[in-house]
Structures are given as C-alpha cells and as structure tokens.
Amino acid sequence: MAGPRPGFLAEVEDAVTPRAFLLVLGVLLLQLGFTAGHVGALRDPTPHRLSIAVVGPAQSVLEATSALHAVPNEAVRSGTAPDRESAVRLIKDQKVYAAWLVDPAGTRDTLLVATARGPAAATAAERIVGSLESARQRTLGTEDVVPLAPGDAEGLSSFYLVVGWCVGGCLVASVLGISAGSKPADTGRALLRLGTLLLYSVAAGLGGALVTGPVLDALPGPVLPLWGLGTLVVFAVGAFTMAMQCLFGVVGIGIAVLVFVVLGNPSAGGVRPPPLLPPFWRAIGSWIPNGAGTDAARSIAYLGGTALTPPLPVLAAWAVAGVAVTLLATDRVVDTPMEATP
C-alpha cells in the first residue's frame, strides 16, 4: 500500500492549480514575445521603399532617378519635385523622407532631410545618396529642413510620450477590472467605468503634453493638440483593455499586453521609422494605437499637423470598438463568483 503523499508536494499541487499554471505560462510567452519582437524588429534596419524626391534639370533628374531605381532590394522609392520649395513642402507634408537637389553646374549636390521624422531615416537616405554620388565622383552636402528640438536629441520623445499614454490606459483599465470585477454588473456600471476612464484619459493626456512640452522642453508642439491626442490614445487603449477583460477576465489583460506592448511598441516607428522595419512590423505599425499615436505626435510637434487623417481615425476606431464591446459584453457575460462588482 502506497504511503501518504509528501506534505510539500501536496502543498504544491494545492497551490498551483491548472488555471494558475496556464496563467504563468501565458506570462512567460508574453515575456519571450516581448524580447523576440523588439530584438527582431530592430536588429536589421534595412531600407525598403524609402521615399526620396529628385530636383534638378530634366537630364540630371532622369539620371538620378535611374540610379535610385537601380539600388537593390527596392530600398528606395524615387519621385521628383519641380524645385527646392516644392521638395521641402513634400517633406513637411510627409510625402517623402528626403529630397536630392542635383546641381549639374558644379560637383556638389544637396540632400534635404527631416530628422524630426526619424534620424535613422535621414541617415539611411544620406548613406544611399552619398554612395551614388561617390560613384559619380561628386560630393554631397546634407541640410536638415525639419530638425529635432534640442531636448529631443534622439527623436524618441514622441514615441515615449505615446508609450506612456498606452501604458497608462492599459494599467488604469486593468486596475478598474481587478478592483471592481472584470465585467461590470450592468450597462449603468459599464458606463460609469467608461466615464472614469475618460476622466483619467483627459488628465493623463494633459499631463503627458505638459511634461514633454513646457516641463522638459522635449517637444516643441502646442500643448492643446497634444492634450487632445493623448486623451484619445489613453481612452482607446483603456477601452480596448476593458473590453478584453469583459470577454476573457484576467486573460484579457494579457491580450492587451500582447497587442500594445509585444506588437505595438516594436512596430510603432519610434526607434526605426516604417521604411527601416521588417515587413511584418512595417505592415501592422500604423494600425495599432502605438504607431498611430507616434505618427500623430510627431506631426503635431514638428510638421504642423500634416497627415493626421490616417492616425486619428485609427485611434477613434479602437476607442469606439472598445466601448461597443464593453457595453455588449456587459449584458451577455456573468462575473465569476470570486470577483466583486463595482
């Protein structure tokens, strides 16, 4: 007859339930995904269809665009501009990352870049065009037409501002769920929780805009538009996190972390702009609040609010979807007995 089960093993079996084991396994997978995602997205910054416009006489433009087309692996997407002023406008409107001004009367040409759109993109454009100029026995000068603010030396302030907003939205929704139950008891309670999230979003949006602007002097953009953007980012992320908790309980927090941390941060274009990201990360970045928010923050801070049409509707769609799912799930899913209701 078998002896009694050892006390320690019995304690372990009682403490580590299958549900707890699966949750811990899920955390491990998220951790590995975080590491693989960030390292994989940033380890090999190879340009892909980096947009460069060419300015100059017709024959010089033809030769320069042909040289850009010949760069291997579709590294460059070339275009043209009639003059310097138009080229600068294209850069500020976020239509191109750089402009190559060819001067056939001399041996020195000029490359216009915008480090505010990402220093890595400016460096990549300078490297590509500089190599072509060397092959033609010409020299290249670089002019930064949209420079970074003194307090934004690496051009990461917009990215980290949005990351902070995303973290805040995810955390506050998680705290509301943990403290008062993953799923509100009824529609009224759900609306109350969403209202609390909205108030938090307004405060977090203003706080982030003030810290990166007047307090730290890291971003030169106006406070009011950044405040509005921050409110939308925080609310969109928080509403989605809340919706996932309504559907999946505590697992919903893990889903939010997967979307906004594992997938959202590496693809946001903070460290490497989209043309320097691998295909998967480049494809998803602008569709996740991290990337959409980073694009919008850079535009507001440095580019006069150009090209806000893509990111703002994306953020609004996340917010609307989060609210809709939260309200629909409230009436259809019952809380577990262990969770309190607000």
Side-chain angles (χ1 to χ4, degrees):
M1 182 174 180
R5 182 185 295 272
F8 174 74
L9 294 180
E11 289 289 337
V12 171
E13 183 178 343
D14 181 64
V16 183
T17 63
R19 182 174 183 269
F21 172 78
L22 290 175
L23 289 174
V24 171
L25 179 60
V27 171
L28 175 61
L29 293 176
L30 286 175
Q31 175 190 323
L32 295 176
F34 176 90
T35 303
H38 283 74
V39 174
L42 305 178
R43 70 185 180 91
D44 187 21
T46 303
H48 176 78
R49 297 182 64 79
L50 181 68
S51 51
I52 301 176
V54 181
V55 180
Q59 183 59 37
S60 298
V61 169
L62 178 61
E63 293 174 357
T65 53
S66 297
L68 291 174
H69 281 304
V71 177
N73 302 319
E74 294 187 285
V76 179
R77 175 171 61 84
S78 65
T80 62
D83 51 43
R84 175 194 170 90
E85 182 180 351
S86 300
V88 172
R89 187 72 263 159
L90 287 174
I91 292 174
K92 292 183 177 181
D93 287 343
Q94 304 184 62
K95 301 295 179 58
V96 299
Y97 277 92
W100 183 6
L101 277 55
V102 182
D103 179 16
T107 60
R108 181 180 175 84
D109 298 324
T110 303
L111 182 70
L112 306 180
V113 298
T115 53
R117 291 197 67 193
T123 300
E126 185 175 4
R127 184 174 64 250
I128 291 171
V129 176
S131 176
L132 296 177
E133 291 281 49
S134 296
R136 289 148 45 102
Q137 297 184 338
R138 299 177 64 85
T139 58
L140 181 70
T142 302
E143 181 179 341
D144 192 351
V145 297
V146 190
L148 292 165
D152 190 17
E154 300 298 325
L156 295 175
S157 296
S158 299
F159 170 63
Y160 285 125
L161 171 61
V162 173
V163 168
W165 282 332
C166 290
V167 169
C170 188
L171 283 179
V172 73
S174 301
V175 167
L176 289 172
I178 292 171
S179 63
S182 295
K183 296 165 283 292
D186 52 44
T187 301
R189 300 291 179 87
L191 290 173
L192 181 61
R193 195 176 294 190
L194 287 167
T196 302
L197 172 62
L198 178 58
L199 291 176
Y200 175 88
S201 301
V202 171
L206 177 60
L210 290 175
V211 167
T212 55
V215 175
L216 297 179
D217 197 25
L219 288 179
V223 170
L224 189 60
L226 282 175
W227 179 9
L229 173 65
T231 300
L232 182 56
V233 170
V234 176
F235 187 79
V237 172
F240 177 85
T241 304
M242 194 175 293
M244 292 301 99
Q245 289 182 93
C246 287
L247 293 177
F248 305 107
V250 69
V251 176
I253 299 175
I255 295 174
V257 171
L258 171 65
V259 173
F260 300 123
V261 178
V262 176
L263 298 178
N265 283 350
S267 64
V271 180
R272 309 287 186 200
L276 299 181
L277 290 174
F280 171 75
W281 303 103
R282 184 170 62 243
I284 68 172
S286 60
W287 299 102
I288 300 178
N290 311 53
T294 299
D295 288 343
R298 279 178 174 160
S299 178
I300 292 170
Y302 290 108
L303 300 163
T306 61
L308 288 176
T309 300
L312 293 185
V314 167
L315 292 169
W318 281 83
V320 171
V323 170
V325 171
T326 297
L327 295 177
L328 290 173
T330 297
D331 293 330
R332 297 185 180 185
V333 184
V334 181
D335 271 327
T336 60
M338 294 298 294
E339 293 177 334
T341 56

